[in-house]
Amino acid sequence: MKKISIDRAYRKSLRHTRLLNKLKREGNTKPRFIVSKSNTNIFAQIFDDNTNKVLASSNSVQLKKSANISVAKEIGQKIAVAALAQGIKEVVFDRTGNKFHGRIKAVADAAREKGLVF
């Protein structure tokens, strides 16, 4: 019998769907800290699901740098400072289906160091 392999994009969409369903079940009122990445860039934003507005954002395109771990740390620090300036201290972390390592982890760790709680 042949093994069926599930491609990476499908597994990523399953992980993301699982997270979004969990957020809906809990009826979370905290803003979502969304981190997504491409091969060359990394994007972070804080999004309020109740008002459907982006409260803060930062990305490697604005910094005019290619995304690596040091740039990811810088993005995490910038987004945390912007969130704390607006009075947002607690958020829910949404990694958009990506695994929690590398650049995604660097953004999260840098934001936590600056005082963002998730």
Side-chain angles (χ1 to χ4, degrees):
M1 202 166 165
K2 220 177 185 182
K3 267 191 175 178
I4 299 172
S5 71
I6 301 173
D7 67 333
R8 267 185 235 169
Y10 181 66
R11 286 192 309 244
K12 180 179 176 180
S13 71
L14 286 177
R15 281 192 300 264
H16 194 222
T17 304
R18 244 188 342 255
L19 175 77
L20 292 178
N21 287 337
K22 181 181 175 186
L23 292 176
K24 288 177 188 174
R25 260 194 325 268
E26 293 175 356
N28 213 335
T29 58
K30 298 176 197 171
R32 225 172 357 138
F33 178 27
I34 305 167
V35 179
S36 59
K37 67 175 184 167
S38 69
N39 287 341
T40 56
N41 293 307
I42 189 157
F43 309 91
Q45 62 184 4
I46 296 184
F47 186 77
D48 187 5
D49 288 319
N50 298 326
T51 60
N52 290 329
K53 292 192 178 188
V54 175
L55 304 174
S57 70
S58 180
N59 59 53
S60 61
V61 177
Q62 290 174 340
L63 300 175
K64 294 183 172 61
K65 295 179 181 176
S66 181
N68 55 27
I69 290 185
S70 63
V71 173
K73 288 178 184 177
E74 190 176 337
I75 290 169
Q77 291 171 350
K78 286 185 129 196
I79 197 90
V81 168
L84 293 172
Q86 292 185 12
I88 301 168
K89 294 180 180 158
E90 289 190 22
V91 294
V92 177
F93 190 66
D94 180 358
R95 53 192 163 86
T96 61
N98 294 303
K99 292 181 181 179
F100 188 78
H101 69 87
R103 292 182 284 166
I104 302 291
K105 185 177 186 225
V107 172
D109 290 342
R112 282 187 182 123
E113 287 175 6
K114 285 289 185 176
L116 209 55
V117 177
F118 52 93

